[in-house]
Amino acid sequence: MTIHYYWEDLVPGSVRELGSLSVSAEEIKEFAEQYDPQPFHLDELAGRRSIYGNLCASGWQTCALAMRLTVTNFLNESSSMGSPGLESLRWLKPVYPGDTLTLKHTTIESRGMRRRPDIGLVRSSWEMFNQNGDKVLHMEGWGMFRRREPATAEEIERLNAERSGA
Amino acid sequence: MTIHYYWEDLVPGSVRELGSLSVSAEEIKEFAEQYDPQPFHLDELAGRRSIYGNLCASGWQTCALAMRLTVTNFLNESSSMGSPGLESLRWLKPVYPGDTLTLKHTTIESRGMRRRPDIGLVRSSWEMFNQNGDKVLHMEGWGMFRRREPATAEEIERLNAERSGA
């Protein structure tokens, strides 16, 4: 795969539309049987009787669907080296069968790594919306990306100074 | 299903061992094809050539496996009403084919809901370890549980006072 995006290309404030997908009742139940067998993720009737009012997707499936869009429309063309984790994850609305979900990625913050001049860190947000414009998912977290050019001696000096509080 | 755990039973400081499971190369690849098609989750050779040194599971699959243990060994016997989200999620180590993962759940904090005397909130941590005792996943977040008995008038008064800062 060709790398189109290195750390330097992920500029704070930049927004990427990462596409959309639909989720079916069959996909919701299949995921739930394997990973989240709560009644309202497995069965229409149990869903209708729950506080969600209908069969709805596991929150973890919603995250996994956001990841599919992120990988296919961004990470697989980038120098991504993975993520240490998230600082926040909110399941804001249920995801129902037939929903069409659209993902928006915003680069919030960018910084070099003191000990790895070849790698940079990026803090991003992911917002997923359904076909009614309701936000169903909001996540914020860090990713690691290889740099096109390694950090300069000046940048490493500055990062060391920040680290030591000087 | 019989409910064994209501909000009142989730006492801060209490620890639950939520069991263990193993993950195979086939399960890792199947999840990756559907949700996280990065080369090191799809293919042994690409895994060996990556910073992870081997085929490894999507971080989202690790979360989903933790959810499977949480649901089958706890939530499906509880009055759980779902979760608004997480405050922290850390993928600390890669998960490799054949790893056996063990999950520990700790109740950290518990509080009533001002507007819903029949529901309480619980903040929990989930820690997942592999067969070598390495922590691979750490999460913290809130869950909602129905109460065995609704909040008393005194408790609601106190929650209202906290809310208004009085």
Side-chain angles (χ1 to χ4, degrees):
Chain A
M1 264 162 289
T2 313
I3 295 181
H4 292 295
Y5 305 109
Y6 287 88
W7 175 75
E8 289 86 343
D9 303 308
L10 305 172
V11 180
S14 61
V15 174
R16 284 181 173 71
E17 304 292 343
L18 296 184
S20 66
L21 50 72
S22 287
V23 61
S24 69
E26 288 63 37
E27 287 173 288
I28 288 174
K29 292 179 199 175
E30 194 190 336
F31 186 97
E33 276 161 25
Q34 205 166 353
Y35 296 111
D36 190 348
Q38 298 186 82
F40 39 79
H41 300 319
L42 287 169
D43 179 78
E44 275 85 358
L45 185 59
R48 284 201 293 277
R49 285 177 176 165
S50 77
I51 53 165
Y52 304 112
N54 197 353
L55 180 74
C56 64
S58 167
W60 296 112
Q61 185 172 24
T62 308
C63 293
L65 291 166
M67 191 65 185
R68 187 205 294 177
L69 289 173
T70 302
V71 170
T72 54
N73 296 327
F74 172 46
L75 290 185
N76 271 351
E77 299 179 291
S78 82
S79 64
S80 172
M81 302 186 69
S83 165
L86 299 179
E87 289 176 352
S88 163
L89 191 175
R90 288 286 174 275
W91 293 296
L92 299 165
K93 294 265 182 185
V95 170
Y96 297 115
D99 276 1
T100 298
L101 304 170
T102 302
L103 188 64
K104 180 175 151 184
H105 174 259
T106 305
T107 301
I108 300 173
E109 188 182 345
S110 169
R111 58 189 307 279
M113 279 181 90
R114 215 163 44 91
R115 295 182 192 194
R116 288 291 304 262
D118 57 328
I119 296 178
L121 293 168
V122 172
R123 187 158 67 90
S124 302
S125 77
W126 286 260
E127 296 165 283
M128 200 174 224
F129 300 88
N130 66 18
Q131 65 281 358
N132 304 318
D134 297 325
K135 200 191 287 190
V136 299
L137 178 71
H138 187 121
M139 304 191 288
E140 279 190 33
W142 290 90
M144 298 175 288
F145 292 84
R146 277 201 312 284
R147 299 169 65 129
R148 188 175 273 120
E149 302 289 343
T152 60
E154 286 85 354
E155 185 184 345
I156 291 169
E157 205 173 302
R158 186 172 53 73
L159 288 166
N160 277 320
E162 284 173 13
R163 169 77 176 195
S164 67
Chain B
M1 265 163 288
T2 312
I3 295 180
H4 292 295
Y5 305 109
Y6 286 88
W7 175 75
E8 288 88 343
D9 303 308
L10 304 171
V11 180
S14 62
V15 175
R16 286 183 172 71
E17 304 292 345
L18 296 185
S20 67
L21 50 73
S22 288
V23 60
S24 69
E26 288 61 39
E27 286 173 289
I28 288 173
K29 292 178 199 175
E30 193 190 336
F31 186 97
E33 276 161 26
Q34 205 166 354
Y35 295 111
D36 190 349
Q38 297 186 83
F40 38 79
H41 299 320
L42 286 169
D43 179 77
E44 275 85 357
L45 186 59
R48 285 202 292 277
R49 285 176 176 164
S50 77
I51 53 166
Y52 304 111
N54 198 353
L55 180 74
C56 63
S58 167
W60 295 113
Q61 186 173 23
T62 308
C63 293
L65 291 167
M67 191 65 187
R68 187 204 296 177
L69 290 173
T70 302
V71 171
T72 55
N73 296 325
F74 172 46
L75 290 185
N76 271 352
E77 300 177 290
S78 81
S79 63
S80 172
M81 301 187 68
S83 165
L86 298 178
E87 288 175 353
S88 164
L89 190 175
R90 288 286 174 275
W91 293 295
L92 299 164
K93 296 264 182 187
V95 170
Y96 297 115
D99 276 1
T100 298
L101 305 170
T102 302
L103 188 64
K104 180 175 151 185
H105 174 259
T106 305
T107 301
I108 300 172
E109 189 183 343
S110 170
R111 59 189 306 280
M113 281 181 89
R114 213 163 45 91
R115 294 185 194 193
R116 289 289 305 260
D118 56 328
I119 297 178
L121 292 168
V122 172
R123 187 159 67 90
S124 301
S125 77
W126 287 260
E127 295 167 282
M128 199 175 223
F129 300 89
N130 66 19
Q131 65 281 359
N132 305 317
D134 297 326
K135 201 191 286 189
V136 299
L137 179 70
H138 188 120
M139 303 191 290
E140 279 188 32
W142 290 90
M144 297 174 289
F145 293 85
R146 276 202 312 282
R147 300 169 67 130
R148 189 174 273 118
E149 302 288 342
T152 60
E154 285 85 352
E155 186 184 343
I156 292 169
E157 205 172 303
R158 185 172 54 72
L159 288 166
N160 277 321
E162 282 172 16
R163 169 77 176 196
S164 67

